[in-house]
Amino acid sequence: MSEEQTSELVELAAEAYVYGYPLVFDLSMVETCLHKGFGALVAAPFNQFSHADRLADADAHFVSVNNDTVYSIAQLDLSGGPVRLHVPDTDGAYYVLQFVDAWSNNFAYVGRRATGTEAGDWLVVPPGWAGTAPDDVRGVIDAPTSVVTIVGRNACDGPEDLERRVRALQEQLTLTHIEPGEHRTGLPAPDAGVPVELRFFEQLRVWMADFPPSAADRAHQDRFQPLGLLEEGPSPYVPAGSALVRALTEGLALGKERVEAASRPGAGGAGGDGGGGGWSMNPHLFDYNLDHFGVGTIDSPEWKIADREASYLARAVAARVGLWGNHGYEAVYAQTFHDADGAPLSGAHRYELRFDESPPVDAFWSVTMYDTPDYFLVANPAGRYSIGDRTPGIVRADDGSLTLHISRERPADPAAAANWLPAPEGEFRPMLRLYMPQSAVLDGRYEIPAVRRVEEAGRG
């Protein structure tokens, strides 16, 4: 193989990484949920909910996990037929059940914004299902892939609210098979004999075959034939020659760098803050779904990325920085890495974030602290990972404004301590979440105040 041919394969492998990363990352998390669990979520088999018994904390090693809602997550396998989902009446309280296919596309929503808060049943059906839905279901949710994830979030105001209200709602959230049929117990297994450095491509090959994307995406992925990604049967990567191994490993590294580069501050893909202290607030970070619009979604041009090939990098970035995040019309996520003067945010300093008025939302808002570069919650002695309009005891000024205090050490002033968001020792990234954002957020009129440095950490 000539150097030119190898270079072409390297480039093709990099494209395949960007294209396939969301599928591999998503299904790797599905496997984690099935066999290990994470954070407060214990492992659960297909078609059974795992309910968190607490808000997420530093033990939840999941990228950008929220600390506002209690998770109820289920991995659905529809290979044996439809599954009936029952949702309870939340009496007006915020909740959302987000449906995510194997490629990380959000294709349906059930919840306060999308369908209201009354009780009801929904039928989740596999691709190509031609059966008849029971008369008593509220609707049919057509799944694009035979394995999908339901990410349930119940608003929770703290431990007392969890015990008083949320647990009862979790117990009423059920899944039931409605047709006799065998459901798989795990995902298709990649060939164990594939070298570690090629495992990503083996996972992509096996899972791409079992969970085919839309017709338009299938046409795009045909280009990856020279990489062996479309081969069926025994893995082509066990006996792979040195030239192909080189192309795949170099392409993997190149693809990773492209995703990381697009995810960095100022890159635009993930919505970096540009280094000037402003917040990135991209309501369209999850607009890469172009083909499947079910219950609760908005099928209109403003919520779709116009360029399909550009959508693949956007999808990879969204998976990297916020896997299983919602469309902007359900919730908007804003992040910043710098203070008002453009310096990186660091636990070596103290900061203030002052809201003259509450952010414009129809549900609630919060600011959550994450480390970098993993975007995990940060352990702290106070056990506080986020702060917002529902935080007990927060202190507003006489004019109604709210100043949050961000620092590694607890402020000495009691009012400041009530409004304290603990920071780690090193650099960090706060994220502002806006649940059911109003139009001023979605059309860009709302401007989030900058985080301002006030003094060195540790100085009284």
Side-chain angles (χ1 to χ4, degrees), residues 397-432:
D398 292 341
D399 62 1
S401 65
L402 176 65
T403 299
L404 305 184
H405 298 268
I406 303 173
S407 61
R408 181 166 46 85
E409 296 181 358
R410 182 190 300 270
D413 177 70
N419 295 358
W420 175 46
L421 180 61
E425 292 185 4
E427 294 186 2
F428 59 84
R429 178 202 69 166
M431 176 177 280
L432 173 66

Short mmCIF file of all heavy atoms in Angstrom, two decimals, residues 397-432:
data_model
loop_
_atom_site.label_atom_id
_atom_site.label_comp_id
_atom_site.label_asym_id
_atom_site.label_seq_id
_atom_site.Cartn_x
_atom_site.Cartn_y
_atom_site.Cartn_z
N ALA A 397 -30.97 39.73 47.67
CA ALA A 397 -30.82 41.10 48.15
C ALA A 397 -32.19 41.78 48.18
O ALA A 397 -33.18 41.27 47.64
CB ALA A 397 -29.86 41.87 47.24
N ASP A 398 -32.25 42.95 48.81
CA ASP A 398 -33.51 43.68 48.92
C ASP A 398 -34.11 44.02 47.55
O ASP A 398 -35.32 44.14 47.41
CB ASP A 398 -33.31 44.97 49.73
CG ASP A 398 -33.00 44.68 51.19
OD1 ASP A 398 -33.30 43.55 51.65
OD2 ASP A 398 -32.44 45.57 51.88
N ASP A 399 -33.23 44.19 46.55
CA ASP A 399 -33.72 44.53 45.22
C ASP A 399 -34.13 43.30 44.41
O ASP A 399 -34.48 43.40 43.23
CB ASP A 399 -32.68 45.35 44.45
CG ASP A 399 -31.37 44.58 44.23
OD1 ASP A 399 -31.29 43.41 44.64
OD2 ASP A 399 -30.43 45.18 43.67
N GLY A 400 -34.07 42.13 45.05
CA GLY A 400 -34.46 40.90 44.37
C GLY A 400 -33.35 40.19 43.64
O GLY A 400 -33.55 39.08 43.12
N SER A 401 -32.18 40.79 43.56
CA SER A 401 -31.05 40.16 42.87
C SER A 401 -30.51 39.00 43.71
O SER A 401 -30.73 38.91 44.91
CB SER A 401 -29.95 41.17 42.60
OG SER A 401 -29.40 41.65 43.82
N LEU A 402 -29.77 38.12 43.04
CA LEU A 402 -29.19 36.95 43.70
C LEU A 402 -27.73 36.86 43.31
O LEU A 402 -27.39 36.82 42.12
CB LEU A 402 -29.93 35.68 43.27
CG LEU A 402 -29.37 34.36 43.79
CD1 LEU A 402 -29.49 34.28 45.31
CD2 LEU A 402 -30.07 33.18 43.12
N THR A 403 -26.84 36.85 44.30
CA THR A 403 -25.41 36.72 44.05
C THR A 403 -24.94 35.36 44.54
O THR A 403 -25.07 35.04 45.73
CB THR A 403 -24.62 37.83 44.76
OG1 THR A 403 -25.04 39.10 44.26
CG2 THR A 403 -23.12 37.67 44.50
N LEU A 404 -24.40 34.57 43.64
CA LEU A 404 -23.81 33.29 43.99
C LEU A 404 -22.33 33.47 44.25
O LEU A 404 -21.66 34.23 43.55
CB LEU A 404 -24.02 32.28 42.86
CG LEU A 404 -25.46 32.05 42.40
CD1 LEU A 404 -25.50 30.95 41.33
CD2 LEU A 404 -26.37 31.70 43.57
N HIS A 405 -21.81 32.77 45.24
CA HIS A 405 -20.40 32.86 45.62
C HIS A 405 -19.73 31.54 45.29
O HIS A 405 -20.13 30.48 45.79
CB HIS A 405 -20.27 33.19 47.11
CG HIS A 405 -20.87 34.52 47.47
ND1 HIS A 405 -20.15 35.69 47.49
CD2 HIS A 405 -22.16 34.85 47.78
CE1 HIS A 405 -20.94 36.69 47.82
NE2 HIS A 405 -22.18 36.21 48.01
N ILE A 406 -18.73 31.60 44.43
CA ILE A 406 -18.04 30.41 43.93
C ILE A 406 -16.61 30.42 44.44
O ILE A 406 -15.84 31.34 44.16
CB ILE A 406 -18.05 30.38 42.39
CG1 ILE A 406 -19.48 30.44 41.86
CG2 ILE A 406 -17.34 29.13 41.87
CD1 ILE A 406 -19.58 30.59 40.35
N SER A 407 -16.25 29.41 45.23
CA SER A 407 -14.91 29.37 45.81
C SER A 407 -14.64 27.97 46.35
O SER A 407 -15.55 27.17 46.55
CB SER A 407 -14.76 30.38 46.94
OG SER A 407 -15.68 30.11 47.98
N ARG A 408 -13.36 27.70 46.57
CA ARG A 408 -12.99 26.40 47.12
C ARG A 408 -13.37 26.31 48.59
O ARG A 408 -13.82 25.27 49.06
CB ARG A 408 -11.48 26.18 46.92
CG ARG A 408 -10.97 24.84 47.44
CD ARG A 408 -9.57 24.55 46.91
NE ARG A 408 -8.68 25.69 47.02
CZ ARG A 408 -7.98 26.00 48.10
NH1 ARG A 408 -8.09 25.25 49.19
NH2 ARG A 408 -7.17 27.03 48.11
N GLU A 409 -13.19 27.39 49.34
CA GLU A 409 -13.48 27.39 50.76
C GLU A 409 -14.80 28.10 51.03
O GLU A 409 -15.18 29.04 50.34
CB GLU A 409 -12.35 28.07 51.54
CG GLU A 409 -11.02 27.33 51.42
CD GLU A 409 -9.92 28.02 52.22
OE1 GLU A 409 -10.20 29.08 52.83
OE2 GLU A 409 -8.80 27.49 52.24
N ARG A 410 -15.49 27.66 52.08
CA ARG A 410 -16.77 28.25 52.45
C ARG A 410 -16.58 29.71 52.86
O ARG A 410 -15.69 30.03 53.66
CB ARG A 410 -17.37 27.48 53.62
CG ARG A 410 -18.75 28.00 54.06
CD ARG A 410 -19.18 27.35 55.37
NE ARG A 410 -19.29 25.91 55.25
CZ ARG A 410 -20.39 25.27 54.90
NH1 ARG A 410 -21.50 25.96 54.64
NH2 ARG A 410 -20.40 23.94 54.83
N PRO A 411 -17.39 30.62 52.35
CA PRO A 411 -17.30 32.02 52.77
C PRO A 411 -17.60 32.18 54.26
O PRO A 411 -18.42 31.43 54.82
CB PRO A 411 -18.36 32.72 51.92
CG PRO A 411 -18.60 31.80 50.76
CD PRO A 411 -18.39 30.42 51.29
N ALA A 412 -16.95 33.15 54.88
CA ALA A 412 -17.16 33.38 56.31
C ALA A 412 -18.50 34.04 56.58
O ALA A 412 -19.15 33.76 57.59
CB ALA A 412 -16.02 34.24 56.86
N ASP A 413 -18.94 34.92 55.67
CA ASP A 413 -20.21 35.62 55.86
C ASP A 413 -21.37 34.64 55.70
O ASP A 413 -21.44 33.89 54.72
CB ASP A 413 -20.34 36.74 54.82
CG ASP A 413 -21.67 37.45 54.92
OD1 ASP A 413 -21.89 38.17 55.91
OD2 ASP A 413 -22.51 37.26 54.01
N PRO A 414 -22.31 34.60 56.64
CA PRO A 414 -23.42 33.64 56.58
C PRO A 414 -24.26 33.75 55.32
O PRO A 414 -24.66 32.73 54.74
CB PRO A 414 -24.24 33.95 57.83
CG PRO A 414 -23.25 34.58 58.77
CD PRO A 414 -22.32 35.36 57.92
N ALA A 415 -24.54 34.98 54.88
CA ALA A 415 -25.36 35.15 53.67
C ALA A 415 -24.62 34.62 52.44
O ALA A 415 -25.21 33.97 51.58
CB ALA A 415 -25.72 36.62 53.49
N ALA A 416 -23.33 34.88 52.38
CA ALA A 416 -22.53 34.38 51.27
C ALA A 416 -22.44 32.86 51.32
O ALA A 416 -22.49 32.18 50.29
CB ALA A 416 -21.14 35.01 51.28
N ALA A 417 -22.33 32.31 52.53
CA ALA A 417 -22.25 30.85 52.67
C ALA A 417 -23.54 30.19 52.21
O ALA A 417 -23.52 29.09 51.67
CB ALA A 417 -21.94 30.49 54.12
N ALA A 418 -24.68 30.86 52.43
CA ALA A 418 -25.96 30.31 51.99
C ALA A 418 -26.03 30.22 50.47
O ALA A 418 -26.72 29.36 49.92
CB ALA A 418 -27.10 31.17 52.52
N ASN A 419 -25.30 31.11 49.80
CA ASN A 419 -25.31 31.18 48.34
C ASN A 419 -24.02 30.63 47.74
O ASN A 419 -23.62 31.01 46.65
CB ASN A 419 -25.50 32.63 47.88
CG ASN A 419 -26.84 33.19 48.27
OD1 ASN A 419 -27.67 32.51 48.85
ND2 ASN A 419 -27.08 34.45 47.95
N TRP A 420 -23.38 29.72 48.45
CA TRP A 420 -22.05 29.22 48.06
C TRP A 420 -22.14 28.01 47.15
O TRP A 420 -22.85 27.06 47.44
CB TRP A 420 -21.28 28.87 49.33
CG TRP A 420 -19.92 28.24 49.12
CD1 TRP A 420 -18.95 28.63 48.27
CD2 TRP A 420 -19.41 27.10 49.83
NE1 TRP A 420 -17.85 27.81 48.39
CE2 TRP A 420 -18.10 26.86 49.33
CE3 TRP A 420 -19.92 26.26 50.83
CZ2 TRP A 420 -17.31 25.82 49.81
CZ3 TRP A 420 -19.14 25.23 51.30
CH2 TRP A 420 -17.84 25.02 50.80
N LEU A 421 -21.38 28.06 46.05
CA LEU A 421 -21.19 26.90 45.18
C LEU A 421 -19.73 26.47 45.29
O LEU A 421 -18.84 27.18 44.82
CB LEU A 421 -21.53 27.24 43.73
CG LEU A 421 -21.39 26.09 42.72
CD1 LEU A 421 -22.31 24.93 43.08
CD2 LEU A 421 -21.65 26.58 41.29
N PRO A 422 -19.45 25.33 45.93
CA PRO A 422 -18.06 24.90 46.13
C PRO A 422 -17.35 24.62 44.81
O PRO A 422 -17.93 24.06 43.88
CB PRO A 422 -18.21 23.63 46.96
CG PRO A 422 -19.55 23.74 47.61
CD PRO A 422 -20.41 24.44 46.61
N ALA A 423 -16.07 25.01 44.75
CA ALA A 423 -15.24 24.80 43.57
C ALA A 423 -14.08 23.87 43.91
O ALA A 423 -13.68 23.77 45.07
CB ALA A 423 -14.69 26.14 43.06
N PRO A 424 -13.52 23.18 42.93
CA PRO A 424 -12.36 22.32 43.17
C PRO A 424 -11.08 23.15 43.27
O PRO A 424 -11.11 24.37 43.07
CB PRO A 424 -12.33 21.42 41.94
CG PRO A 424 -12.90 22.29 40.86
CD PRO A 424 -13.96 23.12 41.52
N GLU A 425 -9.98 22.50 43.56
CA GLU A 425 -8.70 23.20 43.65
C GLU A 425 -8.23 23.71 42.29
O GLU A 425 -7.70 24.80 42.18
CB GLU A 425 -7.63 22.28 44.25
CG GLU A 425 -7.86 21.94 45.72
CD GLU A 425 -6.71 21.14 46.29
OE1 GLU A 425 -5.72 20.92 45.56
OE2 GLU A 425 -6.80 20.74 47.46
N GLY A 426 -8.42 22.90 41.25
CA GLY A 426 -7.92 23.27 39.94
C GLY A 426 -8.94 24.03 39.11
O GLY A 426 -9.86 24.65 39.65
N GLU A 427 -8.77 23.97 37.79
CA GLU A 427 -9.68 24.67 36.90
C GLU A 427 -11.03 23.95 36.87
O GLU A 427 -11.11 22.74 37.11
CB GLU A 427 -9.08 24.77 35.50
CG GLU A 427 -7.84 25.66 35.47
CD GLU A 427 -7.32 25.89 34.06
OE1 GLU A 427 -7.94 25.38 33.10
OE2 GLU A 427 -6.28 26.57 33.92
N PHE A 428 -12.07 24.71 36.58
CA PHE A 428 -13.42 24.14 36.61
C PHE A 428 -14.30 24.77 35.55
O PHE A 428 -13.95 25.79 34.94
CB PHE A 428 -14.04 24.28 38.00
CG PHE A 428 -14.16 25.70 38.49
CD1 PHE A 428 -15.24 26.49 38.14
CD2 PHE A 428 -13.20 26.24 39.35
CE1 PHE A 428 -15.37 27.80 38.60
CE2 PHE A 428 -13.31 27.56 39.83
CZ PHE A 428 -14.40 28.33 39.45
N ARG A 429 -15.46 24.15 35.36
CA ARG A 429 -16.47 24.63 34.41
C ARG A 429 -17.84 24.59 35.07
O ARG A 429 -18.38 23.51 35.31
CB ARG A 429 -16.50 23.74 33.16
CG ARG A 429 -17.58 24.18 32.15
CD ARG A 429 -17.97 23.04 31.21
NE ARG A 429 -18.69 21.97 31.88
CZ ARG A 429 -19.36 21.01 31.25
NH1 ARG A 429 -19.38 20.97 29.94
NH2 ARG A 429 -19.99 20.07 31.93
N PRO A 430 -18.41 25.73 35.39
CA PRO A 430 -19.81 25.73 35.85
C PRO A 430 -20.75 25.61 34.66
O PRO A 430 -20.44 26.05 33.56
CB PRO A 430 -19.95 27.09 36.55
CG PRO A 430 -18.93 27.96 35.91
CD PRO A 430 -17.82 27.08 35.42
N MET A 431 -21.91 25.01 34.90
CA MET A 431 -22.93 24.89 33.85
C MET A 431 -24.25 25.42 34.40
O MET A 431 -24.69 25.02 35.48
CB MET A 431 -23.07 23.45 33.39
CG MET A 431 -24.19 23.25 32.37
SD MET A 431 -24.31 21.53 31.76
CE MET A 431 -22.99 21.55 30.54
N LEU A 432 -24.86 26.32 33.64
CA LEU A 432 -26.18 26.83 33.96
C LEU A 432 -27.21 26.02 33.18
O LEU A 432 -27.11 25.90 31.96
CB LEU A 432 -26.29 28.31 33.58
CG LEU A 432 -27.67 28.96 33.70
CD1 LEU A 432 -28.12 29.04 35.15
CD2 LEU A 432 -27.67 30.35 33.06
#
